[in-house]
Structure formats: C-alpha cells, structure tokens
Amino acid sequence: MKRAIFEAFIMVLMAFFVIYNAKADLLTNSFVSPAYHYMPQNIYHNMIYNSSSNSNKYDKCNTPGSVRKIIVEKSKKEMYLLDVNNCIVKQYKVRIGINSGPKQCEGDKKTPEGTYKIIRKKDSKYIKFLEIDYPRSKDITKAKELKCNPGNAIGIHAWIEGLPREGSQGCITVQTRREILEINNLVNIGTEIEIKH
C-alpha cells in the first residue's frame, strides 16, 4: 500500500516537473522543455495554451471578411489574422526567435517588435515565405547605436525538419505545410503585421 502511494506521488511530481518546465520554456524562450521535444506538438500546445487561447481581445468571425491585419503576440506564441472588424479570420500557434526581446542586430536570434508590412511572397525551402519590411528606419537607427548590422530577411514561414524545435532564428514559423499555404492564400502583399511582446 505504502509503495503504491509512493509511486503515485512520484508520478505526480514528474507530471508537475514536465508542465512547470514547459511553462518555463514559454516564459523564458530559452529553456528547452522535455515536453516540447517528446510530446506531440498539438498536445503540447493545447496543454500549455488552453488557458490563454480563449482569453484574447479578438472575437471569432461568424462570416469573416478578408484579412486586413496580422497580429503576433510573442508572449503567447500566437498569431491572428484579423478582418476589418478586428475579428479573427484564422489563428495559429507559432514559434518565434529563440532569444527574447526585440530584434536589434543580425544573428541575435530575436523576432522584431513593432508594426511592419508584408512586402513579398515567394516560394522557398520553407515552402512559402512571407517577408516583412524589416528593418525599418527605427531598426536601422537602433542598430547604428549598437554598432551592428540590423539584419534582414525576416518573415512568416513553415517549420521544417532541421530547424530548432525551441524557436526560430528570428522569423515567425507556423507548424505545418497546410498552415503556411493557407496563410499565403489569405494574406496579400501590403498587409500590416503588428508584432507585440
């Protein structure tokens, strides 16, 4: 009896450890949770994001219009495609830069923060690549202050085998080929994208 209770206690501790580390991964974006590697991604994301995914300020569209704006919330690792009424046309789980904070220098493995536009859509090794107009003047000015190159070629693309599982090099990556093809079809060149902390 005591052995069964002890084993149950150990199992509870192990479950707590996995969930705690997964949360830490989301908060710090630097610790690689065992859960992230070994659990199926859809189960991992549902477990971690379930409490927050319904607590955003955007509404689901009954009859959505065309995509007017993209919102990326880095802290939640979520991306919303919004119509003219600010209601959600589509919502995706995303990976962002491995390191936290706004992108400042080439190679810092951070995702930019601010308002940008989609300037190009092209085929790539990432299936489709929707490039944003980073760097803008504010980004160039900040990089000059830091005496570095601001970098470029930041956009939205699909995660593919070989990329880090814990995050990207600075781009916004969706989980599947189907998702990036869908986004490519829904989003026009010139669409505004706001990337929040």
Side-chain angles (χ1 to χ4, degrees):
M1 182 66 177
K2 288 183 178 179
R3 181 184 177 89
I5 293 172
F6 178 75
E7 287 176 351
F9 177 73
I10 294 299
M11 291 297 290
V12 169
L13 280 180
M14 288 176 64
F16 175 80
F17 175 80
V18 169
I19 293 170
Y20 177 82
N21 283 339
K23 289 282 190 182
D25 177 38
L26 294 171
L27 292 171
T28 66
N29 208 18
S30 60
F31 180 85
V32 184
S33 164
Y36 203 106
H37 287 297
Y38 300 113
M39 290 178 68
Q41 287 296 295
N42 61 328
I43 296 175
Y44 174 85
H45 282 293
N46 287 342
M47 179 184 74
I48 300 304
Y49 291 107
N50 189 49
S51 61
S52 63
S53 60
N54 295 321
S55 62
N56 58 65
K57 57 188 175 184
Y58 312 112
D59 297 319
K60 292 282 186 182
C61 302
N62 292 323
T63 54
S66 58
V67 175
R68 178 193 62 89
K69 185 175 183 178
I70 303 168
I71 299 285
V72 177
E73 295 195 359
K74 292 170 63 175
S75 60
K76 291 184 179 180
K77 295 183 182 175
E78 290 187 348
M79 181 169 71
Y80 310 98
L81 307 188
L82 305 179
D83 71 3
V84 69
N85 296 311
N86 263 0
C87 65
I88 299 170
V89 178
K90 288 287 179 179
Q91 180 175 344
Y92 304 93
K93 300 301 179 186
V94 295
R95 291 181 173 95
I96 55 169
I98 293 171
N99 295 324
S100 60
K103 186 169 188 63
Q104 297 176 323
C105 298
E106 184 176 23
D108 62 11
K109 299 181 182 179
K110 298 178 181 179
T111 298
E113 293 177 12
T115 301
Y116 300 90
K117 287 186 178 179
I118 302 295
I119 56 169
R120 190 175 296 111
K121 299 197 295 183
K122 60 184 180 181
D123 295 332
S124 78
K125 65 180 180 180
Y126 306 113
I127 304 154
K128 296 291 182 182
F129 187 85
L130 284 72
E131 186 176 352
I132 69 171
D133 61 342
Y134 175 90
R136 289 192 138 180
S137 58
K138 66 179 180 64
D139 305 307
I140 294 168
T141 300
K142 184 63 178 178
K144 282 181 179 177
E145 290 173 4
L146 297 171
K147 298 181 179 178
C148 66
N149 184 327
N152 57 19
I154 300 294
I156 304 168
H157 62 79
W159 183 87
I160 60 171
E161 199 65 43
L163 291 179
R165 288 189 177 274
E166 67 271 22
S168 75
Q169 301 298 304
C171 288
I172 300 151
T173 66
V174 293
Q175 303 298 311
T176 67
R177 176 187 180 90
R178 179 192 61 78
E179 288 177 335
I180 195 61
L181 291 174
E182 183 176 69
I183 293 164
N184 188 68
N185 288 334
L186 289 170
V187 173
N188 294 319
I189 292 172
T191 299
E192 182 179 289
I193 175 169
E194 184 179 355
I195 307 171
K196 301 180 177 182
H197 170 68

